[in-house]
Amino acid sequence: MTQCRSFLCCYFTAPPCVERTCIMSKGTVVLAYSGGLDTSCILVWLKEQGYNVIAYLANIGQDEDFEAARKKAESLGAKKVFIEDLRSQFVEDFIWPAVQANAVYEDRYPLGTAVARPCIAHRQVEIARREGAQFVSHGATGKGNDQIRFELTCYALYPEVKIIAPWRIPEFYNRFRGRTDLMEYAQSHAPADLYLMTKNPEDSPNEPDVLEIEFKNGVPVRVTNVKESTSKDTPLDIFSYLNEIGGKHGVGRIDIVENRFIGMKSRGIYETPGGTVLLKAHLDIETFTMDKEVRRIKQGLGIRFSELVYNGFWDSPECDFVRHCIAKSQENVEGKVQLSVFKGQVYILGRESSKSLYNEELVSMDVQGDYDPCDASGFIRINAVRLREHHRLQGFSGTKK
């Protein structure tokens, strides 16, 4: 970060700022500020353009020195700095609906970043309205998904807002040769191991953690470490603990090529330890307690939900409708799942539920129960009618040709 600060000072603090104070203000902008290189450059550039800048930092659980970021924003000229603790809201209002949906984009990406963006933008809009700001700004690039996620949320909740996206403004990105200057700095200072939350599975403990996760209405209400006899029972504590355990065992790492909404493929490296543990557990208890045909419909809704969230449509009417439908499907998804977390993997050990649809006597090969095996003959013949007709007609058509 020393070079980062030197770069900013060399680039922005000379000549002195006396003349800048005479520029008529263009208005107030709320900048989604991270304290990193991109948004620090943007903050100073916005001031150069004549805006009063309010820096807004969202705490959604990242490892960040927020007070240091506050001081940095103030030193760069932010008029005000808001540091908002959104961790509980993020878990309850955004992560839990994603858990209920078994949300995974293109079969692999658990949507951690995508779900975070509307949560951050919601509070950004609240601050902009409260402070009378006409503008909001962000550090998302002009080729990525985040610009869409931030801006669709802002327009949905604050229709008259104006958005300043510096990485789409030539006067900004040409000044930094696109993003080359910043990327060269990042590459020269990045650690060899890009993962921050998770250990390399090879270096993880040689003993598993055995957990029991209790669900109600499709969301976790308690997690217990069986060996340590420790429990967590608030949403934030549950998710934080699962992140800790999953991270310790190297769970949730993926390196993928994904299809961006904007129309290009990109490589993404993600780590979602707690989310991955919850996905495995929720899938298990859901299958145990949900009717087959309801789950078939719900699976389709989950795919649609994942696409909508990935593409930035959290606040669209269709996403609201899908969330309500998924929540309805979760009314009987309750019970406990026992699992083992070990060396990058999650292993399901068992489950129990008072709402279970599993009838051991009905499926047993040793007990006939209320099922008459003779009925299967008619069931099979009825289902064979369509297949017989298809192949009979196909065969007839082929012979005729």
Side-chain angles (χ1 to χ4, degrees):
M1 293 306 294
T2 302
Q3 185 173 344
C4 170
R5 284 196 290 267
S6 298
F7 170 74
L8 285 171
C9 289
C10 290
Y11 204 87
F12 290 116
T13 61
C17 304
V18 176
E19 292 184 358
R20 230 175 277 161
T21 60
C22 300
I23 299 174
M24 183 176 294
S25 174
K26 293 181 179 179
T28 300
V29 55
V30 178
L31 170 66
Y33 181 70
S34 69
L37 186 61
D38 283 32
T39 53
S40 293
C41 291
I42 290 170
L43 192 160
V44 181
W45 183 82
L46 288 169
K47 281 185 58 62
E48 282 189 339
Q49 304 307 303
Y51 294 98
N52 293 319
V53 182
I54 296 174
Y56 150 61
L57 292 86
N59 177 2
I60 54 171
Q62 71 271 36
D63 185 11
E64 180 77 53
D65 187 339
F66 290 99
E67 282 309 309
R70 179 198 295 277
K71 292 176 182 177
K72 184 175 182 181
E74 290 172 343
S75 71
L76 294 174
K79 178 183 176 183
K80 292 183 180 179
V81 180
F82 289 93
I83 299 176
E84 303 287 304
D85 187 347
L86 306 181
R87 291 174 298 169
S88 292
Q89 179 185 348
F90 181 39
V91 172
E92 296 177 52
D93 296 344
F94 294 88
I95 295 177
W96 275 188
V99 171
Q100 290 179 315
N102 298 321
V104 177
Y105 178 70
E106 293 186 335
D107 302 317
R108 293 188 291 175
Y109 171 42
L111 295 171
T113 303
V115 170
R117 297 315 182 222
C119 178
I120 295 169
H122 277 209
R123 186 59 59 89
Q124 186 177 15
V125 166
E126 288 179 21
I127 293 171
R129 285 187 173 278
R130 187 171 69 238
E131 295 295 316
Q134 309 95 324
F135 304 89
V136 296
S137 183
H138 58 77
T141 70
K143 289 186 176 182
N145 294 307
D146 281 346
Q147 59 177 338
I148 304 170
R149 295 163 183 159
F150 275 120
E151 295 182 29
L152 288 181
T153 300
C154 290
Y155 284 133
L157 303 180
Y158 189 0
E160 62 272 27
V161 76
K162 297 178 178 64
I163 295 175
I164 303 172
W167 284 117
R168 300 203 303 263
I169 299 174
E171 291 83 359
F172 180 85
Y173 66 70
N174 285 335
R175 189 168 182 176
F176 293 98
R177 292 183 291 134
R179 209 179 185 188
T180 306
D181 288 335
L182 305 185
M183 290 303 294
E184 284 179 355
Y185 170 81
Q187 289 171 0
S188 66
H189 288 74
D193 188 351
L194 295 175
Y195 296 103
L196 300 176
M197 298 174 67
T198 56
K199 277 189 175 182
N200 186 326
E202 294 179 358
D203 301 324
S204 64
N206 292 320
E207 291 292 328
D209 275 282
V210 178
L211 306 179
E212 181 177 83
I213 304 177
E214 182 178 352
F215 289 86
K216 190 172 180 62
N217 294 321
V219 299
V221 294
R222 180 183 298 273
V223 59
T224 302
N225 190 312
V226 175
K227 290 185 177 180
E228 298 178 1
S229 298
T230 57
S231 294
K232 307 291 181 182
D233 58 8
T234 67
L236 179 57
D237 286 345
I238 289 171
F239 194 69
S240 299
Y241 186 67
L242 291 175
N243 267 336
E244 176 189 332
I245 297 298
K248 182 173 77 171
H249 289 279
V251 167
R253 293 182 169 194
I254 58 171
D255 182 339
I256 62 174
V257 173
E258 64 196 81
N259 288 299
R260 288 180 177 173
F261 187 32
I262 207 164
M264 61 185 76
K265 291 185 184 291
S266 67
R267 182 187 179 194
I269 298 175
Y270 304 101
E271 51 185 348
T272 317
T276 300
V277 174
L278 277 177
L279 175 63
K280 299 282 189 180
H282 181 265
L283 276 168
D284 191 80
I285 198 66
E286 183 179 85
T287 305
F288 195 47
T289 56
M290 186 178 289
D291 176 78
K292 171 188 173 183
E293 295 303 321
V294 172
R295 188 163 189 275
R296 188 191 303 273
I297 296 170
K298 188 264 177 181
Q299 281 181 292
L301 291 172
I303 292 171
R304 182 64 177 140
F305 172 83
S306 301
E307 292 171 347
L308 288 169
V309 172
Y310 184 87
N311 293 338
F313 288 95
W314 181 278
D315 288 288
S316 66
E318 63 271 30
C319 193
D320 184 62
F321 172 77
V322 169
R323 285 199 302 273
H324 277 82
C325 291
I326 290 173
K328 174 67 177 176
S329 77
Q330 301 294 293
E331 289 178 347
N332 291 322
V333 179
E334 65 176 71
K336 298 176 181 179
V337 177
Q338 297 81 37
L339 54 86
S340 171
V341 186
F342 185 57
K343 297 289 185 185
Q345 299 297 322
V346 179
Y347 301 97
I348 301 296
L349 305 177
R351 77 288 297 162
E352 59 184 87
S353 174
S354 60
K355 301 290 182 70
S356 168
L357 297 180
Y358 173 71
N359 185 332
E360 185 174 0
E361 184 177 280
L362 183 62
V363 299
S364 172
M365 297 298 293
D366 301 319
V367 181
Q368 185 165 315
D370 292 331
Y371 177 78
D372 186 348
C374 296
D375 293 341
S377 299
F379 176 80
I380 295 168
R381 283 196 295 269
I382 291 295
N383 278 278
V385 169
R386 177 177 60 88
L387 303 181
R388 282 173 163 169
E389 284 300 288
H390 171 77
H391 287 282
R392 182 180 67 81
L393 294 171
Q394 287 292 315
F396 176 77
S397 176
T399 302
K400 189 175 183 180
K401 287 181 180 179

